[in-house]
Each structure stands twice: as C-alpha cells, then as structure tokens.
Amino acid sequence: MTRRILRSLAVTAAATAALALGLAGCTAQPAADSEGGAAQSADAIRMGTQPWLGYGQWYVAEDQGFFTDRNVKVALSSFNADADVNAALAANRLDMANVGAQAALQFIEQGLDVSIVLMLDSATEADAILSGAGVTDVTDLAGKKVAFERGATSEILLAEALDEAGMSFDDVEVVEASADKVAPMLLAGRVDAGVTYEPYISEALGAEKGVEALVTAGEYPGLITDVLVVRNDVLDARPGDVEEVLGAWDDAVAFTAKNTDEGRAIIAAGVGSDVADLETAFDGVHYYTLAENRELLTGAYLNETLPALVAVAERIGLLSAPVDAQSVIRTEFLGE
C-alpha cells in the first residue's frame, strides 16, 4: 500500500538527522503592498509563502539577516490559501513558492515551467483531520460534512484516511474551505469535521468546544511534505542567487536548532499565535537541512516517496495523468 512506501522517507530522514542539524522553525511578518504581497525591490527574488510553521525558516532567515549576509534580496509575500499562492506563481507574480508536493506535481502536469529545488519540511502532528461531537472514527464520517481545501495537502491526508477505512470522497459531504476557515466552521457547528494545519489545529483544540484530532499526518509518515518550487527561467538566469537563497534556509535551520526558544518565538509571532500554544505543533514538524536534501532528493524521496504521492494524486483526481517525478527535481543548487 502507498502508506508503506511513504514511510521510507521518514525512516531515511530520521537516520540523516543524526548527522545534520534541523528541527523547529521561526518567522517574522513580511511587509505588505496594496495587493497583499510583500514590498520588494526591482531585483528581489519574489517568494510566496503562507502562515504555516513548515515555511518558518524563511522568516528566521529574514529576521536574522541571513539573506543580507549572502548578498541576495528576497521579497516574501504571504497568502492565506494554497490556491492563492499557486495562482500568483502561475501568473508570474512570483519567482518561487513554498507549496505542498502535490501542488508541485500539478504545476508540472499543467505545463507550468517550474522545478522542485528543496524539500522544506514534513509534518507529523501539525496536519490533522479534526472532528466534532459524534465523530470518533474515520468511518463515522460517512454522510457527514467535511471541510478541506481542494488541491492542498489537506485533500491528500483525507484521501489516505478514507481509503484506509475503505471509503472515498463519495462517502462524505465535501465542503470546500481554505485551511484558515476550517476551524471556525467546525467550532460553529457548520461542519462535522475538517482538515487543516497549525496554528489552526491548536486554536481549535484550545477552544474547549469538544473538537478532537481524529487523524494526524504522523499516521502517514512522509505523506505531507512541502517543497520549494522555482520557475526554470529564474533558475537559469539567477543560479547563484537561488543557491544563496537555499543557503540562507540552511543557515536558519542551524540557527533554530541552536536557539530553539528564540526561533519558536519568532515563528509564533509570524503566524499570529502564542508560542506556548504551539509547542506540540513545533514538535510535529521536521525541517530538512541541505545535507538531508542532497541525500533524499537523489535517493528515497526521488525514487520512492514522490512516485507514491503521484499514485495517490492520480487516484483522487488531483492529477489526470502520470507525472514523471524524477523529471521535476533539480539538485544543482544544493551545494556540496
């Protein structure tokens, strides 16, 4: 089953982590322009992100001056929904974007000329299916209203949980909603369950209104993985800058590993939550170093995990045709 194939990434990452720094995250608020994007200089690399812990190392890089240290300008633009950042990249309003791996595969299928250059993070407890009263098992979702964002990591997690229970999307009443809207809908009783990620999970569980975590991504190791995609014209025109951007990510991972409290405080402020409320969430995210990327993007992730994700995406209709996973990764910007 797909679950067993996806598990190999988590095993390999755990072994590599003993040799490389990297657990936790941090962030700061980007300056917004009139269209909701970040204020940027003409030669800045335009990066799209979201208020998700897994992307937090970019904000620590900004906060700690790692981009400046590497003489590269990066303009961070924050979006609330996967669909918005995906649309901005497709419209050439961004040079690179932090997205779920399934979104990267969809980009390739749809003809968007981008490549995966970095594995950012994988989630364990920080992505979850939340449920309200009367739903204590996945099978209880039959006929119930379930909110999630189509095309996002949430759809992948729900698809796997339903499949394992012998169910499909046809067995539930789908309610489309971005991740930031799921918890309020669930707390208000407008849906019976929903799929979202941190910090929204902690907010829902902390409301003391009977919401529980029905399934977490930790039950499917390697399934929920985020990557950095970059337009190939940018990779070809500015390879040195891209390499320095990735180097700044690695600087941030190392900084956070050594200064965990400071890093967590920065990222909590960036996503608008109290750091104490996100302790479990931080523990549920693994950030990949460049050393881990050099191993995984030429090994288990390339050969096993990404093809397995392609199979899941095809099964639930996110992809209409197979995508050659090995053709979408470029590793020459990871250093040595």
Side-chain angles (χ1 to χ4, degrees):
M1 181 176 175
T2 303
R3 178 173 180 174
R4 289 196 290 271
I5 300 174
L6 291 165
R7 187 178 302 277
S8 65
L9 174 62
V11 174
T12 306
T16 307
L19 303 175
L21 294 172
L23 272 172
C26 25
T27 155
Q29 286 283 33
D33 63 19
S34 60
E35 295 184 354
Q40 58 188 262
S41 58
D43 58 349
I45 288 181
R46 305 165 298 170
M47 179 191 292
T49 187
Q50 295 183 66
W52 154 235
L53 305 184
Y55 305 153
Q57 301 296 353
W58 296 124
Y59 298 112
V60 77
E62 182 180 59
D63 184 81
Q64 295 297 311
F66 295 142
F67 294 132
T68 301
D69 292 345
R70 289 180 171 273
N71 197 32
V72 61
K73 294 181 180 180
V74 177
L76 299 175
S77 296
S78 186
F79 300 80
N80 286 330
D82 285 30
D84 295 334
V85 69
N86 297 353
L89 183 67
N92 201 22
R93 290 171 47 210
L94 297 171
D95 300 310
M96 55 178 61
N98 300 274
V99 300
Q102 83 293 335
L105 296 172
Q106 288 179 295
F107 289 156
I108 304 302
E109 183 195 41
Q110 294 163 6
L112 192 60
D113 194 20
V114 298
S115 295
I116 295 172
V117 299
L118 185 70
M119 284 176 60
L120 301 165
D121 67 276
S122 59
T124 54
E125 306 302 315
D127 282 78
I129 302 173
L130 303 178
S131 62
V135 179
T136 59
D137 187 82
V138 174
T139 56
D140 293 333
L141 294 175
K144 299 291 197 305
K145 294 180 180 180
V146 184
F148 63 94
E149 184 173 359
R150 285 283 196 185
T153 53
S154 296
E155 184 171 5
I156 294 290
L157 178 57
L158 180 60
E160 282 296 88
L162 290 173
D163 183 67
E164 190 168 78
M167 301 167 63
S168 71
F169 290 122
D170 291 337
D171 296 306
V172 303
E173 184 176 341
V174 172
V175 179
E176 295 191 35
S178 59
D180 60 320
K181 300 295 193 301
V182 168
M185 294 173 69
L186 182 58
L187 291 171
R190 295 167 54 196
V191 296
D192 302 292
V195 194
T196 188
Y197 49 74
E198 293 290 2
Y200 311 118
I201 294 172
S202 292
E203 293 172 3
L205 297 179
E208 299 183 354
K209 291 189 175 181
V211 172
E212 301 288 343
L214 183 67
V215 176
T216 69
E219 297 177 41
Y220 304 92
L223 177 66
I224 306 300
T225 305
D226 293 302
V227 297
L228 180 70
V229 295
V230 185
R231 303 180 69 88
N232 283 321
D233 58 342
V234 175
L235 292 176
D236 295 337
R238 305 178 66 176
D241 284 343
V242 172
E243 186 168 347
E244 295 302 335
V245 170
L246 271 55
W249 168 273
D250 208 44
D251 295 339
V253 172
F255 173 88
T256 300
K258 293 178 180 179
N259 306 277
T260 303
D261 290 343
E262 183 176 358
R264 290 186 173 189
I266 296 171
I267 194 169
V271 300
S273 296
D274 189 301
V275 67
D277 294 335
L278 294 178
E279 183 175 355
T280 300
F282 281 118
D283 292 339
V285 176
H286 176 78
Y287 296 98
Y288 291 101
T289 65
L290 291 192
E292 290 176 302
N293 267 272
R294 286 190 288 270
E295 177 176 342
L296 292 169
L297 286 184
T298 58
Y301 190 78
L302 173 68
N303 297 315
E304 299 176 18
T305 305
L306 204 55
L309 182 58
V310 169
V312 176
E314 279 190 81
R315 189 184 77 233
I316 65 176
L318 288 182
L319 296 175
S320 58
V323 173
D324 179 7
Q326 297 193 4
S327 71
V328 307
I329 295 175
R330 291 179 64 172
T331 60
E332 65 262 38
F333 310 98
L334 295 172
E336 299 180 357

